Amino acid sequence: MAERVLELDDLTVRFHLKRGELTAVDGVSFVVNRGQTFGLVGESGSGKSVTARAIMRLVPTPPGEIPRGRILFEGRSVLELDDEEMRALRGRRIAMVFQEPMSALNPVFTVGDQISDALRSNLGLSRRAARERVVELLSLVGIPSPRRRLDSYVHEFSGGMRQRVMLAMALSCNPTFLIADEPTTALDVTIQATILELITGMIERLGMSLIFITHNLGVVAHACDVIGVIYASHLVEMGDKREIFRNPQHPYTIGLLNSIPRLDTQAKYLVPIKGSVCNMMAPPRGCKFHPRCTQAMDVCREEIPKLREIAPGHFAACHLHGRG
């Protein structure tokens, strides 16, 4: 039986704002096993990054709170750890590649100082040993002339190189679990492919587990074993990558797949999903996708469908497959 590394059970994250209450993640449950790559896919505003930050215990409180749910990492409840225990867990066991390198990296410190700071605080390395380790890490992620670039600032790197620096920082303390939040966003196609190859190579070589967050199903096709599709705070479909691509069961997943350019079809135009993500401050009743769904029924406007197993290892939250 596969060893469970991370388990989310009914995770709910809520924000109390001046305009009202916003539930960014609502009842999300999934498991990531040892050595497995899990792709979390959805449009912007679906709750992907908030899920990742909740796992890392980085949701600001206030205005955020986690009113219910569990996050278990290697059998320990993340939500019950004190601040010191959580700091020891971050970096050493769980690491995260944040979405925007320019905002995640400090522009007034050199790249070497920022990476070595994590090494010195988490592993207790001396300044000299930390700098040598940084050179190894920069070389590992494919940055040319790492010893010279060690003392460069963030603005001296291209977008792809900044993403490599973020990856080097995340890998600095040899974590066993990595969360990559949109690591290929705003990069051109060739750089995207390079970063994807780099991440998957690291996972295989170091035996890590991975959560890969993206809005692009085409990207996770190359990087992930299991895919979870999230829409407007709810997990709407989850299953093995091959099963999701061959036999998608939720209308939202089908819409995402139809919007991917394909070479094996004669279709002249892409088929977009009509409308946009609902207002999360005032979401519609029932299934949140029903205003955009071409197959919506009366029950969809009244009841939120539950995620249920429709085939071995394949889950969907849709009234088309029974009311659960």
Side-chain angles (χ1 to χ4, degrees):
M1 184 177 178
E3 179 187 356
R4 294 186 171 190
V5 180
L6 178 74
E7 183 176 357
L8 269 62
D9 181 21
D10 196 29
L11 177 66
T12 299
V13 183
R14 191 172 294 148
F15 292 92
H16 300 279
L17 309 174
K18 291 182 179 179
R19 294 175 295 162
E21 190 176 273
L22 187 151
T23 301
V25 178
D26 194 354
V28 168
S29 302
F30 63 80
V31 171
V32 183
N33 296 322
R34 180 79 63 189
Q36 189 177 63
T37 56
F38 184 93
L40 194 58
V41 185
E43 292 172 274
S44 297
S46 294
K48 307 184 301 297
S49 296
V50 175
T51 301
R53 288 179 177 273
I55 295 169
M56 297 290 289
R57 274 259 302 271
L58 293 175
V59 174
T61 307
E65 67 163 341
I66 301 177
R68 70 174 190 269
R70 294 191 308 160
I71 304 172
L72 299 179
F73 179 75
E74 296 181 339
R76 302 172 68 192
S77 175
V78 170
L79 300 180
E80 295 177 3
L81 299 178
D82 59 35
D83 291 343
E84 186 175 343
E85 290 173 320
M86 196 62 218
R87 279 194 296 269
L89 191 66
R90 294 192 201 106
R92 296 184 189 180
R93 307 295 294 167
I94 309 177
M96 184 168 174
V97 180
F98 291 91
Q99 186 171 353
E100 293 291 344
M102 278 303 287
S103 59
L105 295 170
N106 195 320
V108 301
F109 293 101
T110 65
V111 163
D113 283 342
Q114 294 184 64
I115 301 176
S116 62
D117 182 62
L119 290 166
R120 296 179 69 186
S121 61
N122 287 328
L123 301 183
L125 298 183
S126 66
R127 184 177 181 83
R128 182 189 295 269
R131 283 181 65 86
E132 289 302 314
R133 174 62 176 157
V134 172
V135 172
E136 294 176 9
L137 288 164
L138 294 180
S139 177
L140 185 68
V141 297
I143 292 181
S145 306
R147 195 170 295 278
R148 180 172 59 84
R149 302 308 300 270
L150 184 70
D151 296 315
S152 298
Y153 290 88
V154 180
H155 70 271
E156 298 179 89
F157 288 82
S158 67
M161 288 298 165
R162 290 173 197 150
Q163 210 53 280
R164 290 169 187 257
V165 170
M166 289 293 297
L167 186 57
M169 186 178 292
L171 297 174
S172 60
C173 298
N174 300 316
T176 58
F177 198 98
L178 181 66
I179 301 173
D181 187 2
E182 304 254 17
T184 59
T185 298
L187 301 178
D188 62 57
V189 176
T190 54
I191 300 299
Q192 278 189 21
T194 302
I195 296 296
L196 281 173
E197 185 178 344
L198 183 62
I199 290 175
T200 53
M202 295 290 180
I203 296 300
E204 292 175 3
R205 187 155 66 248
L206 302 177
M208 301 167 64
S209 304
L210 170 71
I211 291 180
F212 193 100
I213 296 173
T214 181
H215 60 272
N216 190 337
L217 270 171
V219 170
V220 295
H222 300 284
C224 300
D225 305 315
V226 177
I227 294 175
V229 181
I230 190 169
Y231 180 80
S233 80
H234 289 277
L235 198 63
V236 297
E237 187 163 2
M238 181 173 62
D240 177 80
K241 171 179 66 178
R242 294 176 180 82
E243 181 68 13
I244 293 290
F245 276 86
R246 290 174 183 169
N247 190 28
Q249 293 296 309
H250 196 280
Y252 180 59
T253 309
I254 295 170
L256 290 177
L257 288 169
N258 286 339
S259 64
I260 299 174
R262 299 173 63 100
L263 297 177
D264 60 347
T265 179
Q266 299 298 317
K268 195 172 182 180
Y269 301 102
L270 297 178
V271 182
I273 303 174
K274 295 181 180 180
S276 57
V277 178
C278 63
N279 178 6
M280 294 301 292
M281 297 295 294
R285 290 183 61 184
C287 175
K288 290 186 173 68
F289 186 64
H290 86 255
R292 307 173 69 186
C293 183
T294 58
Q295 303 180 67
M297 303 175 290
D298 290 340
V299 66
C300 301
R301 299 174 178 87
E302 298 297 329
E303 295 182 20
I304 298 175
K306 294 183 179 180
L307 192 70
R308 59 190 292 266
E309 192 169 22
I310 56 175
H314 191 172
F315 300 80
C318 183
H319 290 302
L320 291 172
H321 304 289
R323 296 170 67 168

